[in-house]
């Protein structure tokens, strides 16, 4: 094909293929890091206390939790890629980049010095952009990597602006120092830092309107996509949690976080409906799920946001790594029928109410007239959506699905609630773990509009507008230079 710059690099292993010693060594090393992280988590739970290098590194509950999560996902990706990347001329570089990305994330969640935190954030973005463009001879992969790199550099620049404003206003050079001085923040410094932090988090977590880099990243090898969706996009939630004392200082900013999160949650769900490819559909789903995560942070429940990003990581890593199986199993006429009938609607409503009651009993959230009510609503909606999606992939009849949804959803939301309680306990040493706010008229409006729009989407109302369909189709497309112009290009790369 014209314009081809290199021979296919993935396929049957050849005699010239690179030695598997580097992938094997890095796979063993990352699983060793996972074992060490689990040990650190156990010690932290049993003994508590602060582990730190003053002014540089501070290891707390969030650190050890994310160490366990990221090394586990990275270990799975390393092991999976041993076969997936076999025969690729880029095998060694791919494994080295994935391992370096893992180390960058581990350093980020332990970093206390502002400069170290910013450096790790930048390194994490550049390494992920490199994974997106793993196949250098593929023009679309190079274009997608360039798009991702521009977004990540913008995110790093915004973070630098925020950290500079915080250093200037507080004279603190550490994350913990900024948190300690957050009560004295105000004026322009607080506004600049808060807005810059939120925008940096939105870009990294691919929230609308910054979701373009994520939808353009499908040229990345599937294991890299799994690591991206299970770990990288979660960085926005980690950023807001680390700087929770800053973002919670301004009520208007917290409400703004809820609004942008709600918009992404709804638009991600809508964009998913018009994508026919598995990876694209999963990408749009991630946009929506990150919206739910950011909303939880905006409501003041940072432990809930961390819980959501951990559970979403497991969910999305599994679906990406099993996406090939989904292609083999699903036939063109076997897709789940969109929309919900009257009986299905009643079942879903009753199931949701039961799940909300269970969540409230187990966590205490949703029992008072504060933002905990919205937290319970959003947790019910996202868990119910995941349960219905799982049931929809089965071969059950319509009647069987009505019974299966509660059977899947109720245990799932119970697990969610218990995980939330466990994470809350682990994060107890952070400056702000939970800061529920009183429900205002604007909160109520956001909740009502969100619920009405969510029900309309579930009922399939969006299918009645051709204009909306075209708008969604356009919004769900990758950057023009990253679009494949011929389907056989998939086979070559």
């Amino acid at each position: 094909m014209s314009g081809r710059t290199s021979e296919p690099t993935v396929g049957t292993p050849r005699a010239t293929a690179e030695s598997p010693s580097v992938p094997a060594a890095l796979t063993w090393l990352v699983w060793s890091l996972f074992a060490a992280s689990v040990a650190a988590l156990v010690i932290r739970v049993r003994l508590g206390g602060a582990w730190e290098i003053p002014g540089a590194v501070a290891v707390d509950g969030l650190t050890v939790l994310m160490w366990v999560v990221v090394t586990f996902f990275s270990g799975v990706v390393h092991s999976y890629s041993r076969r997936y990347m076999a025969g690729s001329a880029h095998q060694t570089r791919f494994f080295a980049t994935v391992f370096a990305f893992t180390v960058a994330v581990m350093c980020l969640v332990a970093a206390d010095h502002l400069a170290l935190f910013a450096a790790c954030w930048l390194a994490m973005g550049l390494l992920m952009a490199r994974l997106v463009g793993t196949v250098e001879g593929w023009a679309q992969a190079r274009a997608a990597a360039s798009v991702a790199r521009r977004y990540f550099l913008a995110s790093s620049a915004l973070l630098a602006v925020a950290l500079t404003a915080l250093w200037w206003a507080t004279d603190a050079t550490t994350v913990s120092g900024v948190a300690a001085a957050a009560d004295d923040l105000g004026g322009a410094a607080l506004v600049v830092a808060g807005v810059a932090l939120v925008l940096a988090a939105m870009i990294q977590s691919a929230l609308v309107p910054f979701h373009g880099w994520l939808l353009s990243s499908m040229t990345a090898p599937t294991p890299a996509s799994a690591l991206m969706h299970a770990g990288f996009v979660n960085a926005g939630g980690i950023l807001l949690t680390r700087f929770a004392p800053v973002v919670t200082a301004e009520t208007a900013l917290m409400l703004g976080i809820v609004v942008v999160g709600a918009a992404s949650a709804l638009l991600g769900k809508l964009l998913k409906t018009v994508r026919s490819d598995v990876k694209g559909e999963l990408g749009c789903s991630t946009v929506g799920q990150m919206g739910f995560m950011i909303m939880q942070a905006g409501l003041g429940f940072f432990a809930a946001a961390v819980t959501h990003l951990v559970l979403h990581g497991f969910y999305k890593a599994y679906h990406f790594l099993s996406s090939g199986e989904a292609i083999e199993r699903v036939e063109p006429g076997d897709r789940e029928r969109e929309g919900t009938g009257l009986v299905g609607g009643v079942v879903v409503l009753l199931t949701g109410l039961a799940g909300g009651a269970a969540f409230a009993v187990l966590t205490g959230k949703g029992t008072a007239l504060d933002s905990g009510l919205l937290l319970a609503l959003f947790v019910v909606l996202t868990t119910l959506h995941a349960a219905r999606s799982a049931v929809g992939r089965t071969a059950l009849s319509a009647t069987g699905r009505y019974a299966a949804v509660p059977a899947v959803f109720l245990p799932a939301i119970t697990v969610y609630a218990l995980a939330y309680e466990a994470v809350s306990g682990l994060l107890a040493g952070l400056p702000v773990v939970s800061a529920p706010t009183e429900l205002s008229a604007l909160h109520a409006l956001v909740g009502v509009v969100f619920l009405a729009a969510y029900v309309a989407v579930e009922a399939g109302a969006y299918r009645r507008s051709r204009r909306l369909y075209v708008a969604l189709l356009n919004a769900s497309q990758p950057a023009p230079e990253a679009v494949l112009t011929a389907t056989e290009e998939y086979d070559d790369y």
Side-chain angles (χ1 to χ4, degrees), residues 379-398:
V379 169
V380 166
L381 290 178
T382 188
T383 310
L384 189 57
H385 173 71
R388 295 184 67 227
S389 296
V391 171
R393 295 187 182 93
T394 66
L396 294 173
S397 63

Side-chain angles (χ1 to χ4, degrees), residues 309-341:
L309 68 86
V310 171
L311 295 179
H312 172 261
F314 281 98
Y315 178 82
K316 201 51 64 71
Y318 166 76
H319 280 290
F320 262 100
L321 295 181
S322 63
S323 57
E325 178 187 356
I327 293 173
E328 292 176 359
R329 184 179 65 246
V330 178
E331 298 178 0
D334 194 37
R335 293 183 63 84
E336 178 185 7
R337 177 178 295 178
E338 298 180 7
T340 303

Side-chain angles (χ1 to χ4, degrees), residues 9 12 53 85 88 114 128 138 161 167 187 189 194-195 203 238 250 256-257 260 307 331 385 427 429 451 461 470:
T9 56
T12 303
I53 300 176
M85 296 298 293
S88 171
L114 297 180
M128 182 51 67
W138 192 3
V161 168
W167 166 74
V195 172
I203 293 174
I238 299 300
E250 182 56 56
I257 295 173
V260 299
T307 303
E331 298 178 0
H385 173 71
L427 304 188
L451 183 59
V470 172

